[in-house]
Amino acid sequence: MKPCFYMDIGMRKVQDLTAHDVMSYIVQKLHHATRFGKIALSFPSLGEGKVDLGGMVRVFAEDSETLTKVADFLAADWRTDEYAVVRHPKPV
């Protein structure tokens, strides 16, 4: 896979959940989103602060359509909107 597009998913602060729980939920949802095409993940803020994976996940794909489908999949779950901020796809 040649990553040509990416989108960032940032974590929101949630009072009743730990940062670890929120990031685990986001990564789990992204695992299920692989049905829309090949994606790759990176954690640009890994090790910053108290969150193990950092407060952001960067999702890469070969085309913006795949990322748009992933974003729509995430938006279909009300918890994702409560737990995360999903940015629009951008070219690498």
Side-chain angles (χ1 to χ4, degrees), residues 1 12 27 34 58 89:
M1 178 183 88
R12 294 183 193 267
V27 171
T34 57
R58 186 164 287 161

Side-chain angles (χ1 to χ4, degrees), residues 15-52:
Q15 289 185 351
D16 58 338
L17 294 174
T18 66
H20 179 268
D21 290 337
V22 173
M23 287 303 292
S24 294
Y25 176 78
I26 293 169
V27 171
Q28 179 185 30
K29 291 297 286 186
L30 288 169
H31 173 74
H32 293 291
T34 57
R35 69 180 99 170
F36 303 110
K38 292 182 181 180
I39 61 172
L41 306 180
S42 73
F43 302 92
S45 55
L46 180 69
E48 292 179 4
K50 297 178 183 178
V51 182
D52 297 338

Side-chain angles (χ1 to χ4, degrees), residues 3-89:
C4 297
F5 290 86
Y6 75 96
M7 70 178 181
D8 290 333
I9 303 172
M11 179 184 71
R12 294 183 193 267
K13 292 184 180 181
V14 181
Q15 289 185 351
D16 58 338
L17 294 174
T18 66
H20 179 268
D21 290 337
V22 173
M23 287 303 292
S24 294
Y25 176 78
I26 293 169
V27 171
Q28 179 185 30
K29 291 297 286 186
L30 288 169
H31 173 74
H32 293 291
T34 57
R35 69 180 99 170
F36 303 110
K38 292 182 181 180
I39 61 172
L41 306 180
S42 73
F43 302 92
S45 55
L46 180 69
E48 292 179 4
K50 297 178 183 178
V51 182
D52 297 338
L53 295 176
M56 182 190 322
V57 179
R58 186 164 287 161
V59 185
F60 294 92
E62 290 183 343
D63 53 57
S64 63
E65 291 81 23
T66 299
L67 292 178
T68 301
K69 289 178 185 177
V70 171
D72 291 344
F73 170 73
L74 295 173
D77 186 352
W78 65 269
R79 290 174 288 188
T80 305
D81 186 47
E82 191 173 306
Y83 299 162
V85 177
V86 180
R87 307 275 188 224
H88 296 287

